[in-house]
Amino acid sequence: MSSSASPESKKPAGGLARKAQILGFLLKYRNAGVFSFELDESALDVDLPKESGDDRPERFVEDLEALGPTFVKIGQWLSTRPDMVPAEYLEALERMQDDVAPEDWDAVHAVIEEELGVEPERVFVSIDEQPLGCASLAQVHRAVLRDGREVALKVQRPGIEALIREDLALLAGLAERADRMTDLGRRLQFADWVGEFRRALLAELDYRMEAQNLDRFGTHFAEYPEVFVPRPVWDLTRPRLLTMELLHGTKATDISGLRRTEEDLGGLASALVRAYLDQVFVHGEIHADPHPGNLLVTDDGRLALFDLGMVAHVPPRQRDRLLKLLFAAVDGRGEEAAAEAIAMGTRLEDFDEPRYVREISQLVARYAAHSDALSMSEGRLVLDVVRLSTACGLRTQAELSLLGKALLNLEQVARALDPELDVKQVVESHLQNVMSARLRQSFSLANLASEAMELQALVREAPRKVGDVLSLLADNRMQVRVAGLEESHLLESLHKIANRITAGLVTAALIVGAALMMGVEGGPRLFGYPAIALALFTVAAGIGLAIVFRALASDRKPRPREENAPR
């Protein structure tokens, strides 16, 4: 599935028109299980198109592509979120092609000249005007340097950054409103997701970041000579221009059966899986888009990886928990896998822990029994863990979804290279090696010295701290504070109850006073009754109706309480 229009032809209308276009898309698919929350049209201040009821996944992807480059990237990210998107839509998103018509060569030439500060002809012997590939954000051209080296020029499309920033600003506002107004928003925190997506996408627009990723991944892959990445040419790399080594080869998924027969590609597949596991669990980075189109089997029999614009960084503690979770899952220990997922996630108010542990244990048991089937691969297992977490009220970290998607794509490439490869065995064996290396590292001289220094500090400061505590106890000045009570639902409810009891007492007093005034002779009268008594009755009735109305209108289920597991 591809789009024939360039991003410039899809440049969004400004202001309310663009907001209406986006909201119309959300409204159209609100009953399809995607973005399944109620939209209050009266609060949006825009005229929305009528709902078509067309919820086919293919049509969903086409409409997403029609919204422009920002939403093509959103589609790629949504394909890593099984907690937000139904399975049939995930499959359609995975087939989504970031492929658009090329820009006019004069516009591309102008970008190259602006970034280099000189005419391209003074730097390159030649540049092919016909691009090697086109995507929504950039297109790639073959060029030859003065020293004869062939390079690939990744050139950002003109005006694309301004267009994306406008869309991201609109999306941030919509996400914040969805988080406030919908249960699904409170559960999934769309604003956090949009913020994370914004940081990643804006980083991807700076090609110096991608060049750094190429250098870093190249260093990390040095232990695996079968796998490599193209080297960037730093002197000719700018924010909107990436110059790198040109790769020649065949897509991993296009390898013919004859070539697999003539060459032993199992070693390439195994090295790729092991290199990626090291990248995640040793170096703490996840390539967020390792789809098969980004991997080439080169003419010299190696595996080349490119397009490293989207890389997620995993902190050390989160990395350890990811490792423990995956190791427990592939080893068939479902309860331990569930415990690690809970430790990584955020427990919502309706989190059902017993059900969650039971469901995860059954899932891991099915994986252990049928791990030879593609449907029960390691990547699918991790994505199913994410999906079950959402169903049971546990919000997982984005890194878990990215890991599952990366493993799924790696398994697809590995099986394309060697259908007989036992990916589960490779993963489990290498995870054991990583765990062993981690254990050995914990007993290294540097780590032992660090632990000794912390122990020394504890021993040195302990007497003084114990003395401070005893002094406070002796002077009767020991205080224990419970933070957050003033903001709790309990205190809010108590205030509401107290206010209504007070209003009820005032209403009752007014009614009693009005009844007593009814027996008073003389004074002004209204409709044959004492005017003061009628006034008291009217005020009492108004207060009573206000209490009832406020109770019906504002008493709603409290906002779900989120609880992070102990870190």
Side-chain angles (χ1 to χ4, degrees):
M1 187 182 306
S2 64
S3 174
S4 59
S6 70
E8 287 300 312
S9 67
K10 295 178 182 177
K11 187 172 182 177
L16 294 179
R18 181 58 170 172
K19 182 185 289 187
Q21 188 181 9
I22 296 171
L23 289 172
F25 171 77
L26 298 177
L27 180 65
K28 180 177 180 179
Y29 293 99
R30 76 181 189 275
N31 294 323
V34 186
F35 317 117
S36 53
F37 50 83
E38 294 296 327
L39 289 173
D40 182 4
E41 300 180 29
S42 62
L44 298 175
D45 301 325
V46 295
D47 295 325
L48 297 176
K50 299 299 181 182
E51 181 180 1
S52 70
D54 185 357
D55 58 357
R56 293 181 298 112
E58 292 78 10
R59 183 63 183 169
F60 171 78
V61 172
E62 290 176 0
D63 288 346
L64 198 62
E65 289 177 333
L67 286 172
T70 308
F71 291 85
V72 170
K73 289 297 178 182
I74 287 177
Q76 293 177 356
W77 272 68
L78 283 176
S79 69
T80 69
R81 295 301 300 265
D83 54 334
M84 296 174 64
V85 182
E88 61 272 19
Y89 284 82
L90 279 176
E91 293 176 2
L93 288 167
E94 287 169 359
R95 295 191 298 268
M96 188 176 189
Q97 298 296 316
D98 190 2
D99 186 15
V100 299
E103 289 283 347
D104 180 74
W105 169 247
D106 290 338
V108 175
H109 186 278
V111 171
I112 298 174
E113 184 172 351
E114 289 173 11
E115 292 300 291
L116 294 178
V118 297
E119 294 181 357
E121 290 75 14
R122 299 182 60 182
V123 178
F124 303 101
V125 174
S126 64
I127 304 177
D128 288 349
E129 297 185 10
Q130 187 66 27
L132 297 173
C134 300
S136 56
L137 302 185
Q139 57 191 56
V140 179
H141 293 261
R142 175 187 174 275
V144 179
L145 295 175
R146 292 290 176 184
D147 60 8
R149 284 182 293 163
E150 286 187 309
V151 294
L153 303 181
K154 185 175 181 179
V155 187
Q156 192 173 114
R157 290 181 178 270
I160 201 70
E161 183 174 354
L163 184 152
I164 286 176
R165 287 185 181 276
E166 292 173 7
D167 281 346
L168 290 174
L170 283 174
L171 286 171
L174 293 175
E176 290 175 1
R177 184 171 296 185
D179 288 350
R180 292 197 310 269
M181 298 170 57
T182 70
D183 289 337
L184 186 65
R186 286 187 286 269
R187 176 183 294 271
L188 296 179
Q189 293 294 298
F190 291 117
D192 291 345
W193 186 85
V194 170
E196 178 188 348
F197 172 75
R198 180 181 185 277
R199 288 190 296 272
L201 186 53
L202 292 181
E204 188 178 358
L205 289 174
D206 186 346
Y207 293 158
R208 294 171 300 184
M209 299 290 292
E210 183 171 351
Q212 291 177 3
N213 293 339
L214 290 171
D215 267 348
R216 199 166 54 254
F217 272 59
T219 301
H220 295 163
F221 288 160
E223 298 180 16
Y224 300 93
E226 305 95 333
V227 182
F228 76 105
V229 296
R231 295 185 299 273
V233 181
W234 277 103
D235 291 343
L236 301 177
T237 293
R238 302 289 186 274
R240 295 190 296 162
L241 174 67
L242 172 61
T243 305
M244 57 184 169
E245 177 186 4
L246 182 65
L247 303 177
H248 294 280
T250 306
K251 284 187 179 181
T253 51
D254 293 340
I255 297 295
S256 65
L258 177 61
R259 183 170 180 179
R260 284 200 298 267
T261 302
E262 294 176 344
E263 298 180 32
D264 181 14
L265 300 179
L268 287 184
S270 176
L272 175 67
V273 174
R274 289 183 284 114
Y276 251 87
L277 291 174
D278 277 358
Q279 196 65 34
V280 176
F281 297 117
V282 177
H283 306 295
E285 294 182 312
I286 302 178
H287 182 202
D289 191 27
H291 63 76
N294 289 339
L295 290 160
L296 293 179
V297 178
T298 61
D299 297 337
D300 60 358
R302 293 188 296 166
L303 199 59
L305 171 70
F306 57 96
D307 195 2
L308 295 178
M310 298 176 68
V311 173
H313 300 274
V314 187
R317 183 170 296 182
Q318 199 79 331
R319 194 186 316 165
D320 290 342
R321 285 180 172 154
L322 276 176
L323 176 59
K324 292 177 182 177
L325 190 155
L326 184 59
F327 190 72
V330 300
D331 201 34
R333 294 177 277 115
E335 292 183 355
E336 292 184 27
E340 291 300 332
I342 293 172
M344 289 177 58
T346 299
R347 291 175 284 188
L348 301 180
E349 187 179 53
D350 58 348
F351 176 51
D352 188 348
E353 185 169 351
R355 176 197 167 196
Y356 181 69
V357 174
R358 183 177 63 255
E359 295 280 359
I360 294 297
S361 298
Q362 292 175 355
L363 173 67
V364 171
R366 289 195 301 271
Y367 163 81
H370 305 287
S371 59
D372 56 331
L374 181 60
S375 60
M376 292 301 292
S377 65
E378 291 73 23
R380 182 60 61 193
L381 172 66
V382 174
L383 293 179
D384 283 343
V385 168
V386 175
R387 190 177 294 111
L388 280 175
S389 300
T390 302
C392 294
L394 179 72
R395 186 193 305 143
T396 57
Q397 297 293 323
E399 291 85 356
L400 190 58
S401 297
L402 289 175
L403 175 62
K405 181 65 182 300
L407 287 174
L408 203 61
N409 283 328
L410 287 174
E411 291 153 9
Q412 182 181 352
V413 174
R415 288 191 168 91
L417 294 171
D418 183 4
E420 303 300 323
L421 180 68
D422 187 348
V423 178
K424 177 181 183 297
Q425 193 278 330
V426 174
V427 171
E428 187 168 2
S429 174
H430 196 66
L431 286 180
Q432 290 176 349
N433 292 336
V434 173
M435 292 284 281
S436 299
R438 189 70 57 86
L439 184 62
R440 288 194 300 271
Q441 184 181 11
S442 65
F443 289 101
S444 66
L445 291 177
N447 280 340
L448 290 176
S450 177
E451 297 291 339
M453 291 176 65
E454 291 186 8
L455 181 61
Q456 180 187 23
L458 177 62
V459 171
R460 184 173 59 249
E461 296 176 5
R464 179 179 57 81
K465 291 185 176 180
V466 171
D468 291 344
V469 172
L470 292 176
S471 297
L472 291 173
L473 287 172
D475 298 338
N476 198 24
R477 292 186 293 113
M478 175 69 76
Q479 295 181 354
V480 178
R481 296 182 181 179
V482 180
L485 182 60
E486 66 278 2
E487 300 177 358
S488 68
H489 295 309
L490 174 62
L491 196 59
E492 181 182 348
S493 299
L494 289 175
H495 285 161
K496 189 181 296 184
I497 291 171
N499 291 338
R500 288 181 183 171
I501 289 175
T502 302
L505 290 174
V506 172
T507 303
L510 290 173
I511 293 174
V512 171
L516 294 175
M517 291 295 296
M518 281 292 183
V520 176
E521 298 292 339
R525 306 183 75 81
L526 186 63
F527 305 116
Y529 298 99
I532 295 178
L534 285 178
L536 293 177
F537 269 124
T538 302
V539 173
I543 294 176
L545 290 174
I547 293 174
V548 173
F549 175 78
R550 186 173 181 82
L552 295 176
S554 63
D555 283 5
R556 63 183 70 176
K557 184 178 179 181
R559 182 171 179 153
R561 177 174 57 87
E562 299 176 1
E563 179 182 353
N564 290 321
R567 297 293 177 180

